[in-house]
Amino acid sequence: MSARRRHLGAFRWEATPLAAYKAEGTHFRDVTRQVLFAADAGVGCELRYFEIAPGGHTTLERHQHAHAVVVARGSGRALVGEEIVELARLDLVSVPPRTWHQLRAGQAEPLGFLCLVACERDRPERPDADDLARLRAKHAIAEFIRV
Amino acid sequence: MSARRRHLGAFRWEATPLAAYKAEGTHFRDVTRQVLFAADAGVGCELRYFEIAPGGHTTLERHQHAHAVVVARGSGRALVGEEIVELARLDLVSVPPRTWHQLRAGQAEPLGFLCLVACERDRPERPDADDLARLRAKHAIAEFIRV
């Protein structure tokens, strides 16, 4: 097998299946996932490429494991903790442990991003009614989140 | 501090110093380094951006730790083990443990790439005379490598 896997164009790669973001649910919309480097790459983390279609969003969630994100394509916005940031190509985002986060593509173009995570990680937690009330206490966050 | 560090254009980022590839040496040429996510990002690995100027190259070396590479800009070639591969934007490269490797930019444009490594890693080893003789036994490798 070659050391190189070619980019085939349009953010698809050789020998890299296009997967659903998550198995099921209504708490995310129009997101695909490709694992670019899995645990067997031996670098201590995994690198995935996610793409959110225009108007779509990831799940609003938090967990103990951190994320490190590099925007690869398009634009959008992210909630990280209590901050909502605009995202453009090659911007970097850090999501610390136990921090609520959600990414949304704009209406005009997809938002594609590389996401680094540790190989061993805990299961994400979604907000309960109390969490949502706390998040929605800030108007900008109330407007932003999709659940 | 914001969760986001903006891309400033031309593969430079907010709050991200441009560093030399290595402290000194004649075994590499025209390479810069930026650490996009260090160990404190908490994902179990580090993500660096390297850029090789046209005509430049990284060090020919090997080590126990693995590399996972995503080409971000331009084009070039890489030696990985006994394979020489062409590199284009968004191609993926895996460098397994103890594998000789070297990246070269072409003459026309820089080669920029994201490189993932474990936070804890061993010191690279450069080829001795016997290693070089073995590498140069293959004509294509003899032509490719710069030491």
Side-chain angles (χ1 to χ4, degrees), chain A residues 31-79:
Chain A
V31 187
T32 59
R33 178 167 67 119
Q34 294 174 78
V35 178
L36 304 188
F37 293 104
D40 63 4
V43 292
C45 60
E46 294 180 29
L47 183 67
R48 299 91 47 88
Y49 173 75
F50 293 96
E51 193 167 296
I52 311 174
H57 58 85
T58 62
T59 306
L60 173 61
E61 63 185 30
R62 66 180 179 183
H63 34 65
Q64 186 57 42
H65 63 275
H67 286 310
V69 166
V70 182
V71 178
R73 174 184 200 176
S75 61
R77 288 182 296 162
L79 171 71

Side-chain angles (χ1 to χ4, degrees), chain A residues 124-140:
Chain A
E125 173 192 354
R126 290 172 53 206
D128 64 19
D130 286 350
D131 295 322
L132 282 174
R134 275 189 292 272
L135 284 160
R136 286 176 171 147
K138 281 210 171 181
H139 179 71

Side-chain angles (χ1 to χ4, degrees), chain B residues 131-142:
Chain B
D131 295 322
L132 281 174
R134 275 190 292 272
L135 284 161
R136 287 176 170 145
K138 281 209 170 181
H139 179 71
I141 296 177

